[in-house]
Amino acid sequence: MIAKPAPLLQLEKLRVEFHGTAGRRVRAVRDVDLEIYEGETLGLVGESGCGKSTLGRAMLRITEPTAGSINYLGLDITRLRGTVFRRTRADLQMVFQDPFGSLNPRRTIADIVAEPMLRARGMSRADAQKAVGDLLDQVGLGREAGARRPHEFSGGQRQRIGIARALAPSPRFVVADEPVSALDVSIQAQVINLLTDLIRERGLTMLFISHDLGVVRHIADRIAVMYLGEIIEIASRDDFFAGPAHPYGEALLSSVPTLGGTSARERIELAGELPDPASPPSGCTFHTRCRYAVDRCRVEAPALREVEPGRQVRCHLPLLTVSKGAAA
Ligand code: SF4
């Protein structure tokens, strides 16, 4: 039996709560357990508002978790402070959907990209200058781009700058949050190809967050599906796209005709909107929209459990079982 590799990052019961209206607590991330293995790209998918961006930000403590732990190389990141936290955090970087908002318009690209090398890695200015040129070449902008300022670039080029800045401190793990969803389709493919090359060349581990299953299919090794702050399915990319085991994943996949396998695959309309995270439904939180729901689903919350090797599902009646006509 082949031993399972140790995860690079391990989340245990990670929770993020916000203050909602009328003093209500909104649990945006609900006690998530998740392992991300070195060198893999994990695609995190789900509807807008499901908590996937909040989870990605919490993993880097851009948003502070309310409870739970994030284990990275034997350290619980949620407990780190001061210099140890800053040094550790340099290993963990983020590519944002809109990098322009975080690029100082008065600084040159070379200064913007050099800053984390100087601050987080303590490089000399001469070394940083050379490394910036190499990095700008690597992301396809060319080293001469370093003398220019952010407003001189197109959307796709700005995302390349965002990627260069995220890679500047030589991280081991990157969260890419909808990195191509604001770009034209033709540019999306270029940026995805760039990310794929960088992952391979640098041995990066990545959490790739997207609502677009077509994009995720190109880049992810495994897929995690999120619904109302919970992970409801984790599977290899091939298993997931061959047929999700959770009814929500089944509906998501069916809404993308070119990805739904055969043209005979039924299109499944999800009933209603995503419920209010401040007052999630009882039992299985998906029961209000699930076409397979039975009485048990309304009262008993399913646990995330392994239903076949490498596949975990949070459902009393995973589709693998339903299709065989048996209940769990
Ligand atoms: Fe649907 Fe029930 Fe499974 Fe929830 S537990 S996804 S309601 S079948």
Side-chain angles (χ1 to χ4, degrees):
M1 185 174 146
I2 301 169
K4 234 178 167 181
L8 183 69
L9 246 88
Q10 184 169 27
L11 315 186
E12 285 187 7
K13 302 271 173 281
L14 197 73
R15 180 185 302 176
V16 181
E17 289 180 343
F18 297 117
H19 288 291
T21 52
R24 295 188 304 174
R25 300 286 286 173
V26 179
R27 195 167 288 182
V29 173
R30 295 153 52 88
D31 300 347
V32 165
D33 293 326
L34 186 64
E35 295 180 338
I36 303 180
Y37 298 99
E38 179 129 40
E40 78 165 342
T41 297
L42 179 66
L44 183 61
V45 303
E47 286 167 285
S48 176
C50 70
K52 55 192 189 304
S53 290
T54 306
L55 176 59
R57 296 171 75 90
M59 288 168 71
L60 307 190
R61 285 183 56 193
I62 295 170
T63 297
E64 282 293 341
T66 311
S69 64
I70 305 166
N71 192 296
Y72 170 68
L73 300 179
L75 298 169
D76 179 0
I77 297 170
T78 64
R79 297 179 179 276
L80 301 183
R81 302 283 179 270
T83 308
V84 180
F85 173 63
R86 281 195 297 279
R87 282 204 194 119
T88 307
R89 178 64 170 70
D91 279 1
L92 316 168
Q93 293 294 318
M94 185 136 188
V95 175
F96 297 93
Q97 178 180 350
D98 173 19
F100 193 54
S102 59
L103 300 176
N104 186 331
R106 288 188 295 278
R107 302 186 71 192
T108 64
I109 301 307
D111 284 346
I112 289 170
V113 176
E115 200 250 336
M117 296 175 176
L118 301 169
R119 185 172 43 84
R121 296 299 188 200
M123 289 174 78
S124 69
R125 288 213 165 264
D127 286 347
Q129 194 176 10
K130 180 178 180 314
V132 167
D134 293 345
L135 196 46
L136 292 178
D137 278 341
Q138 206 176 4
V139 300
L141 287 168
R143 56 188 59 228
E144 59 281 359
R148 295 159 64 191
R149 289 183 164 73
H151 70 271
E152 299 176 58
F153 294 89
S154 67
Q157 289 171 323
R158 285 174 192 161
Q159 192 52 285
R160 289 173 190 265
I161 298 167
I163 292 168
R165 192 177 54 172
L167 298 184
S170 300
R172 292 177 70 166
F173 175 68
V174 172
V175 174
D177 186 7
E178 302 274 10
V180 298
S181 55
L183 305 177
D184 291 344
V185 172
S186 59
I187 308 295
Q188 285 188 6
Q190 294 172 15
V191 174
I192 290 295
N193 289 340
L194 171 65
L195 282 172
T196 306
D197 290 345
L198 292 169
I199 288 166
R200 193 183 59 246
E201 288 162 15
R202 291 173 164 251
L204 282 173
T205 305
M206 182 173 286
L207 180 73
F208 187 93
I209 300 171
S210 179
H211 68 281
D212 186 335
L213 286 174
V215 169
V216 169
R217 191 181 203 182
H218 279 294
I219 198 164
D221 302 303
R222 286 194 304 150
I223 308 290
V225 184
M226 223 171 153
Y227 186 78
L228 271 188
E230 293 181 318
I231 302 289
I232 57 161
E233 179 162 1
I234 302 174
S236 72
R237 173 187 54 191
D238 291 348
D239 284 350
F240 180 80
F241 284 101
H246 194 284
Y248 177 60
E250 180 194 44
L252 284 184
L253 191 56
S254 80
S255 68
V256 190
T258 54
L259 292 177
T262 69
S263 56
R265 189 182 285 261
E266 176 192 4
R267 165 113 195 211
I268 302 161
E269 293 290 343
L270 273 175
E273 301 291 318
L274 197 65
D276 180 357
S279 53
S282 61
C284 171
T285 56
F286 186 59
H287 84 252
T288 53
R289 305 170 81 190
C290 181
R291 64 183 185 152
Y292 303 107
V294 295
D295 287 348
R296 179 187 179 192
C297 305
R298 293 178 244 287
V299 293
E300 185 184 334
L304 187 67
R305 63 194 171 98
E306 190 162 74
V307 294
E308 58 183 32
R311 188 192 289 244
Q312 294 171 277
V313 183
R314 187 184 296 278
C315 176
H316 297 310
L317 305 165
L319 295 174
L320 312 163
T321 313
V322 167
S323 65
K324 289 175 193 151

